[in-house]
Amino acid sequence: MIEKITRVMVADDHQILREGIVSLLADEQGLLVVGGAANGQEAIDRVPVYRPDVLLLDIVMPVMGGIEAARWIRDKHPQTEIVILTAHHNETYQRQAFDAGARGYLTKECSSEDLMVAIRHAARGDYFLSGAAGRDLVAEYVS
């Protein structure tokens, strides 16, 4: 059986982070990085060109943030699943991300294993929260 290749795009305003994620994903079987973007507007412009299955998207970026870009991309390109990868432990951002159509929410403190799991879950149309993000969201509802 031939494994489907998951096409991944990385949108983050920090070049070193984009390069690091590309390097990390390069060795992962079944994943192919097809492009990158430095802000939300570039992500919107490049999704139709690169046609990623999964877009890793930061929230706070210049020109246009990730939440606004996520809404636009999910509306115009619903086949592209979105995983938020951010430095922010913030329940408001988490809610906004999922309201905008994200399939995953990870903090940049996550493990590389969690990142791979989130990408694979999103590619299948499933949801994923990293440990810290999941605990924060659950704590909000339990308290």
Side-chain angles (χ1 to χ4, degrees), residues 91 95 135-143:
E91 293 87 10
R95 280 193 306 275
R135 283 190 301 276
D136 292 346
L137 197 57
V138 169
E140 178 185 343
Y141 288 102
V142 172
S143 42

Side-chain angles (χ1 to χ4, degrees), residues 1-93:
M1 181 169 90
I2 298 174
E3 180 180 6
K4 181 188 181 298
I5 301 296
T6 298
R7 298 166 55 85
V8 180
M9 185 173 139
V10 182
D12 193 288
D13 56 325
H14 295 98
Q15 182 175 346
I16 190 76
L17 185 71
R18 287 192 316 270
E19 291 173 358
I21 292 171
V22 168
S23 292
L24 184 67
L25 298 180
D27 294 330
E28 191 67 21
Q29 185 175 358
L31 301 180
L32 173 66
V33 177
V34 294
N39 60 61
Q41 185 60 56
E42 282 186 9
I44 285 172
D45 294 342
R46 293 178 180 177
V47 161
V49 175
Y50 295 131
R51 299 181 337 269
D53 300 306
V54 177
L55 170 61
L56 295 177
L57 186 61
D58 191 9
I59 290 179
V60 178
M61 296 183 286
V63 183
M64 178 187 290
I67 301 295
E68 185 179 351
R71 281 190 187 99
W72 193 93
I73 290 165
R74 289 297 294 156
D75 183 52
K76 304 293 184 198
H77 303 281
Q79 72 283 2
T80 297
E81 301 294 356
I82 296 169
V83 173
I84 298 296
L85 181 60
T86 182
H88 299 281
H89 296 268
N90 182 306
E91 293 87 10
T92 300
Y93 279 151

